Amino acid sequence: MRALLWCNGQQPSEHVVQALLHAGSTVFGVDGGADKAARAGIAVEEVLGDLDSVELGQWEGRTHELPDDSSSDLAKSIALLIERGYTDIDVVGSDGGSTGHVLGGWAALCEAPGGAQIRIHHEDSITHRIHPQDGGTEFDIAEGQEFSVFALSPCRGVHLQGAAWNLDGVPLGLSTRGLHNRGTGEVVRISADGILAVIIPRGE
């Protein structure tokens, strides 16, 4: 099952959204993101979060409160959808706003349990979460195309093949070591024993 989480930050452009809707995703609003999605003409299935920034009057019977204040609405929403059996989760509207919220988007990827492919969609790129529970991941990255790999949790061994600069079981923490690698035209294969974020430029 595939879900689209619509957050309350900078709203995505139409070309970002349309491809996700064509994939048959069920749309969930993350708190006030539900109102923004509705104003954009998007049909929202349910509103998730602590419900402190959404206009509750128009969502009667379509809310699921997540009151735990120890993590963000996005982190709680991702965890709930994985619990419900969603295996592909796309996120839009998480950019913009305060610096803390921007970093919090990546932190939510670290907090979320394994069991789902999670992607945060930015205007210029897509962040892919790689979780050790889900095994390795393959990407088709064109020759010369830049991409970046960041460790969101400490990794004892990161494996990266098919890139200009490969890694063979190298320890990696949050650092700039994986910034601006390049594709070689081969399939890029990545795996690790920790959580990674792989940022790939958005295709035209």
Side-chain angles (χ1 to χ4, degrees), residues 10 13 15-16 95 106 120-127 145-146 199-204:
Q10 177 182 314
S13 59
H15 85 275
V16 170
D95 289 340
W106 280 285
I120 298 179
H121 293 260
H122 321 282
E123 288 302 310
D124 64 341
S125 60
I126 302 173
T127 297
Q145 184 181 47
E146 288 190 345
I199 303 175
I200 302 176
R202 180 178 297 281
E204 296 298 330

Side-chain angles (χ1 to χ4, degrees), residues 154-204:
C155 300
R156 294 187 301 273
V158 176
H159 299 269
L160 169 62
Q161 292 87 37
W165 296 281
N166 292 327
L167 300 173
D168 186 13
V170 173
L172 192 65
L174 183 59
S175 68
T176 59
R177 179 168 184 173
L179 182 66
H180 293 169
N181 206 329
R182 289 193 183 91
T184 62
E186 300 178 16
V187 174
V188 174
R189 296 179 172 86
I190 306 176
S191 63
D193 58 1
I195 299 172
L196 302 177
V198 180
I199 303 175
I200 302 176
R202 180 178 297 281
E204 296 298 330

Side-chain angles (χ1 to χ4, degrees), residues 31-32 35 39 47 51-60 63:
D31 211 328
D35 292 331
R39 287 195 289 270
V47 186
L51 310 181
D52 67 347
S53 62
V54 68
E55 297 176 17
L56 289 173
Q58 65 173 322
W59 300 105
E60 187 174 353
T63 62

Side-chain angles (χ1 to χ4, degrees), residues 75 78 104-114 118 129 131 151-154 195-196:
I78 291 173
W106 280 285
L109 298 182
C110 191
E111 291 182 359
I118 306 171
R129 195 281 296 267
H131 195 285
L152 297 181
S153 67
I195 299 172
L196 302 177

